[in-house]
Amino acid sequence: MTDTTNITFYERVEEALQNTQARGAFDRATKRFTALRATAFTSLPAAGDLTRDRARAIRAETLSHLDRYLAQFADAVATAGGQVHWAADAAEANRIIGEIAQVNHVQRVVKSKSMVSEEIHLNHALEALGCEVIESDLGEYIIQLAGETPSHIITPVIHKTKEQVGEILRDKINMPLTHEVTEMTAFVRMKMREIFLTADMGISGVNFGVAETGTIVTVTNEGNGRMTTTCPRIHVAVMGIERLVPTLDDLSVMLQVLARSATGQKLSVYTNLITGPRRAHEPDGPDELHVVLIDNGRSKVLGTEVAEILYCIRCGACLNACPVYREIGGHAYGSVYPGPIGSVVTPALYGVALWSDLPHASSLCGACREVCPVRIDLPGLLLKLRHQTAAAGKTPKYLQVGLRAFRWAGTRPALFHLGMKFASWGSRLIASRGWIKRLPGPLSHWTQSRDFPAFAKESFSAQLKKRRRESGIEGQP
Amino acid sequence: MTTREETLTRIRQALQTGRLPVATPNDRPATLTPESDRAARLALFVREAQANGSEVFQPATLDDVVEMLHELMKQAGQQAITWPDEDLPLPNIREILFRAGVTRHVPNLPTEAALRRQTWENLDGIRVGITGTLAGVADTGSIVVQSGRHRSRAASLLPETHIALLPIERLYPSLQAFFAAHSPQELTQNSSNLVFITGPSRTADIEMIITRGVHGPKRLCVILLPPVGLAA
Ligand code: SF4
């Protein structure tokens, strides 16, 4: 995954911050999701605390015996009549799926939302073979028509207004212009039906694989997950190797936290369990089921100090809770995986050397850890990655310069104090009511999206000294 | 070609470095299913199902069912994709559907590509689907629909309106209680699809405005059947 073009993270952030309409949309949507999530958890005993503990324990158990569960899962898929494929990396996964398509003379492919297929750039690979690939999730479909990338892992088109969506649908699929969302939905339903019923191959992601039964689980609200895995003759399910739970009972625990964390629903509308292809006595469903197990860096991560990130169930709650994501949205991260999860998983999978900025795209406020249904210590993992970037000499420039200056001044007390005086005096000169709306020079980035407080009249150490003097305590601060 | 053994070996090697946080057995508390009696379960199911946008009917007599179906079919044309009699949990279902004026389609999809496509296109125009259910889940307001012999997935998926028959004694308090009562074999061995349906198809993708019936049914009507059976 090296398609972040040449612009830097900070340039993308700047671009994102200038799009005030999208910023408003991110802010509204994420706050609303956060509120819905909180309400949804109140219906569980102890507000979901016990369920989350258990969900975490299930992921811990699975990952610490991943070899065993993966083997069990693969055997069970085969017993149910499915075909299992193993892919070490993106190129191999694309080759495998491409071959399935070619052997079966597949022309039209319909997809339901899958992050891992975005991770490996599957659409691109299939299109290069001459296949037509159509995303079926409403948001993903609009994004695909617009030639963009998703900005949120649950609601990919959250950065667009309904007016903009109406224009895309008019320009790309000749829908009469409307601002009515119900009309747009009805039009897309009609358009998509034809695609579902004529597609040769359906590709889905996998929310969970169940080791004991070889069941794959896809969760959607729209029903595109069911259509994709029912109508076409061939169903290809792509999944990361870490996506497992041991048993159906474990699955029920994960399902209780997944929908609540993602959208604030108790359960998504279609929680779809698929075990093997259509049996001989069944009237419909695909004739072939292929499960492609994709490693693509995951086994490597498993042996590192950020292995815990593999517990992630891709619910998106940490995005919604993150004050940085709320401001800059998904595109600025430049990765398929945005937000706190992305800031850990992207460098973990593809190397801190290429993605050294992302672990710094966080204020470490801890909001993500609070909401994570499997209690991943995201701030802790970010710190570990920051440490790695520093060790690799990959600390972002602004930090390097700043820290060097601080070290230099910090070891020269007289100069340091003089500097503080100037800062205090200068900051109050440009502040209004104690807040600075626009910092000068390179510091202006800070105030583009927030205000900065003016410095106090006296430095902390000066205040402390004074107080001690007043209360009669002497000594060095 | 990456083999299974190569991947599993990579994983085993990675696990040896042992960086994962340890999970002790205490981290896995026992099943957390709230107990409830039958009346409470029923009330909870109705409340949750209505909250997720399902329409819940509780007919008292067979005539009520006929009338209800008749009304629904009148709005939606007389055709319906249905499951066979033995999978619709009402003893005289054949007669009921006949009296309600329903023309039934029990699909069977050919494997040959062109024929398969043709069958889908024929089914696509039908606006009502009628199915039974394996169970209901009270605390999420979901119905559980299992594919099988003559039990098409299409009936609960393609039409705009899905009518599901749910005997009240098949209600479980929670997902976990449902899984505890069914063996993995009976859920997956002879059936490729088990789906928990929680309301009608919906999306909130555009400006978070909730819209129904994107790809699946716009309406989900659950008919609850009392354990004593319906009066004639
Ligand atoms: S890290 Fe946690 S909160 Fe974030 S997407 Fe993964 S599971 Fe959800």
Side-chain angles (χ1 to χ4, degrees):
Chain A
M1 203 170 62
T2 48
D3 63 334
T4 52
T5 67
N6 288 327
I7 58 171
T8 67
F9 174 66
Y10 294 96
E11 284 163 338
R12 290 194 300 269
V13 169
E14 201 149 317
E15 202 182 305
L17 291 177
Q18 262 147 30
N19 188 343
T20 42
Q21 171 254 311
R23 269 173 75 189
F26 288 127
D27 199 52
R28 276 192 304 280
T30 50
K31 282 183 179 151
R32 172 118 168 263
F33 273 132
T34 304
L36 288 170
R37 176 203 163 274
T39 313
F41 269 94
T42 57
S43 63
L44 288 175
D49 272 349
L50 300 174
T51 319
R52 286 169 68 194
D53 288 343
R54 185 152 177 230
R56 179 176 171 83
I58 290 167
R59 294 300 287 147
E61 161 70 19
T62 311
L63 268 299
S64 49
H65 302 287
L66 186 59
D67 53 335
R68 200 201 306 148
Y69 288 120
L70 205 49
Q72 188 190 9
F73 174 73
D75 290 342
V77 171
T79 308
Q83 300 176 46
V84 182
H85 308 265
W86 301 81
D89 55 20
E92 190 170 19
N94 288 334
R95 196 164 61 239
I96 290 167
I97 300 164
E99 269 165 26
I100 301 171
Q102 283 180 318
V103 168
N104 291 285
H105 309 289
V106 167
Q107 286 167 353
R108 184 173 256 189
V109 178
V110 70
K111 281 183 67 203
S112 68
K113 212 159 132 32
S114 148
M115 304 233 41
V116 71
S117 77
E118 277 163 38
E119 175 187 321
I120 64 172
H121 299 291
L122 176 60
N123 292 14
H124 192 75
L126 288 174
E127 280 159 5
L129 294 175
C131 297
E132 180 195 13
V133 185
I134 303 144
E135 295 286 348
S136 61
D137 172 85
L138 178 63
E140 294 270 346
Y141 179 61
I142 294 163
I143 287 290
Q144 190 185 28
L145 289 177
E148 292 185 17
T149 54
S151 59
H152 189 285
I153 67 182
I154 303 295
T155 51
V157 70
I158 198 67
H159 59 288
K160 294 225 180 288
T161 62
K162 58 180 193 290
E163 288 77 14
Q164 289 171 325
V165 172
E167 281 163 27
I168 294 168
L169 294 176
R170 179 198 58 196
D171 296 347
K172 301 289 176 177
I173 55 171
N174 299 318
M175 180 180 175
L177 187 65
T178 176
H179 295 162
E180 284 303 317
V181 176
T182 42
E183 285 173 30
M184 298 181 203
T185 309
F187 191 83
V188 172
R189 177 187 172 104
M190 192 186 71
K191 187 93 193 156
M192 213 37 128
R193 261 309 155 92
E194 196 245 310
I195 292 165
F196 281 126
L197 302 181
T198 55
D200 309 292
M201 184 194 256
I203 297 180
S204 77
V206 173
N207 289 91
F208 298 105
V210 184
E212 69 171 342
T213 54
T215 302
I216 54 177
V217 185
T218 66
V219 172
T220 66
N221 277 325
E222 299 178 359
N224 59 316
R226 288 193 74 199
M227 294 294 286
T228 303
T229 59
T230 295
C231 301
R233 213 158 36 82
I234 302 159
H235 171 202
V236 176
V238 291
M239 66 187 279
I241 52 169
E242 85 286 14
R243 269 323 50 181
L244 296 178
V245 292
T247 65
L248 288 173
D249 181 53
D250 293 328
L251 173 70
S252 72
V253 177
M254 303 315 294
L255 290 174
Q256 288 185 61
V257 295
L258 176 60
R260 281 183 170 86
S261 303
T263 54
Q265 290 165 281
K266 289 183 179 133
L267 207 57
S268 300
V269 176
Y270 300 107
T271 300
N272 197 26
L273 279 63
I274 296 162
T275 314
R278 158 199 195 182
R279 307 293 192 271
H281 61 261
E282 286 184 310
D284 55 8
D287 295 320
E288 283 180 32
L289 168 69
H290 298 265
V291 178
V292 184
L293 291 164
I294 299 174
D295 184 337
N296 207 28
R298 288 162 173 79
S299 61
K300 192 190 71 203
V301 175
L302 192 59
T304 68
E305 55 184 357
V306 296
E308 189 187 346
I309 200 61
L310 297 172
Y311 292 3
C312 173
I313 59 171
R314 306 282 190 267
C315 70
C318 58
L319 276 62
N320 298 330
C322 177
V324 176
Y325 178 89
R326 282 180 180 178
E327 282 294 334
I328 67 178
H331 289 141
Y333 292 82
S335 159
V336 171
Y337 302 103
I341 169 62
S343 295
V344 177
V345 93
T346 309
L349 284 176
Y350 310 110
V352 287
L354 278 171
W355 297 88
S356 57
D357 286 328
L358 287 187
H360 298 271
S362 160
S363 63
L364 301 180
C365 71
C368 48
R369 183 178 45 205
E370 283 303 303
V371 297
C372 178
V374 288
R375 302 194 191 279
I376 297 174
D377 179 16
L378 288 155
L381 299 184
L382 284 167
L383 275 176
K384 284 180 182 157
L385 287 170
R386 283 188 190 184
H387 189 74
Q388 287 178 20
T389 59
K394 283 281 180 184
T395 310
K397 246 221 183 73
Y398 77 95
L399 260 185
Q400 280 175 26
V401 176
L403 286 175
R404 222 177 297 134
F406 181 77
R407 202 176 312 134
W408 186 77
T411 49
R412 290 165 178 79
L415 190 75
F416 189 80
H417 285 289
L418 192 68
M420 293 295 284
K421 279 231 168 68
F422 268 113
S424 164
W425 174 78
S427 74
R428 274 176 292 121
L429 210 62
I430 57 172
S432 90
R433 284 184 216 159
W435 288 92
I436 302 167
K437 290 247 175 275
R438 175 171 290 212
L439 282 169
L443 301 174
S444 64
H445 289 265
W446 176 273
T447 46
Q448 246 167 28
S449 51
R450 45 196 156 358
D451 297 339
F452 189 83
F455 283 81
K457 252 191 196 131
E458 283 179 315
S459 74
F460 174 73
S461 56
Q463 286 182 36
L464 191 68
K465 267 192 202 138
K466 193 159 139 199
R467 260 199 225 169
R468 288 199 166 140
R469 252 193 329 272
E470 282 167 8
S471 58
I473 307 169
E474 275 305 329
Q476 279 298 109
Chain B
M1 271 303 185
T2 304
T3 62
R4 162 184 172 131
E5 265 328 297
E6 276 166 26
T7 309
L8 295 179
T9 305
R10 273 200 307 278
I11 291 171
R12 278 181 208 121
Q13 279 163 357
L15 284 172
Q16 267 161 22
T17 57
R19 304 285 186 87
L20 278 175
V22 213
T24 65
N26 280 345
D27 291 343
R28 286 185 84 165
T31 304
L32 309 155
T33 302
E35 289 300 321
S36 64
D37 65 27
R38 182 179 277 190
R41 210 179 293 168
L42 176 61
L44 182 60
F45 176 82
V46 173
R47 196 173 71 225
E48 289 299 332
Q50 284 170 344
N52 66 40
S54 307
E55 299 164 46
V56 183
F57 298 90
Q58 292 183 267
T61 67
L62 282 176
D63 282 344
D64 291 347
V65 181
V66 174
E67 198 179 317
M68 207 219 95
L69 284 174
H70 189 72
E71 211 35 54
L72 283 168
M73 298 304 297
K74 217 166 56 194
Q75 300 163 24
Q78 302 306 105
Q79 320 274 317
I81 307 176
T82 78
W83 283 3
D85 291 352
E86 61 270 27
D87 290 300
L88 297 175
L90 260 181
N92 16 22
I93 186 72
R94 183 178 289 267
E95 186 203 331
I96 291 170
L97 292 181
F98 180 76
R99 278 171 59 201
V102 180
T103 308
R104 298 171 70 171
H105 299 260
V106 182
N108 199 356
L109 218 62
T111 44
E112 200 277 314
L115 286 176
R116 183 185 171 99
R117 203 171 279 190
Q118 192 53 51
T119 311
W120 276 135
E121 271 156 28
N122 294 342
L123 291 173
D124 190 35
I126 299 172
R127 291 167 63 193
V128 176
I130 304 175
T131 73
T133 50
L134 179 62
V137 179
D139 73 350
T140 58
S142 315
I143 56 169
V144 190
V145 179
Q146 187 184 30
S147 70
R149 184 179 299 281
H150 305 304
R151 294 198 302 265
S152 65
R153 305 178 188 193
S156 62
L157 181 59
L158 293 188
E160 279 164 25
T161 302
H162 172 202
I163 301 169
L165 301 170
L166 172 59
I168 286 169
E169 70 270 20
R170 293 190 196 169
L171 281 178
Y172 293 87
S174 67
L175 273 180
Q176 276 176 292
F178 166 81
F179 280 113
H182 297 82
S183 74
Q185 287 71 24
E186 70 183 288
L187 294 179
T188 60
Q189 210 156 52
N190 294 312
S191 166
S192 61
N193 188 221
L194 182 77
V195 59
F196 295 81
I197 303 179
T198 310
S201 158
R202 60 172 242 174
T203 185
D205 272 357
I206 305 172
E207 287 197 10
M208 295 195 81
I209 299 166
I210 291 176
T211 316
R212 300 241 165 96
V214 203
H215 298 297
K218 232 177 239 160
R219 289 179 75 184
L220 172 59
C221 308
V222 182
I223 304 182
L224 286 168
L225 303 170
V228 288
L230 291 171

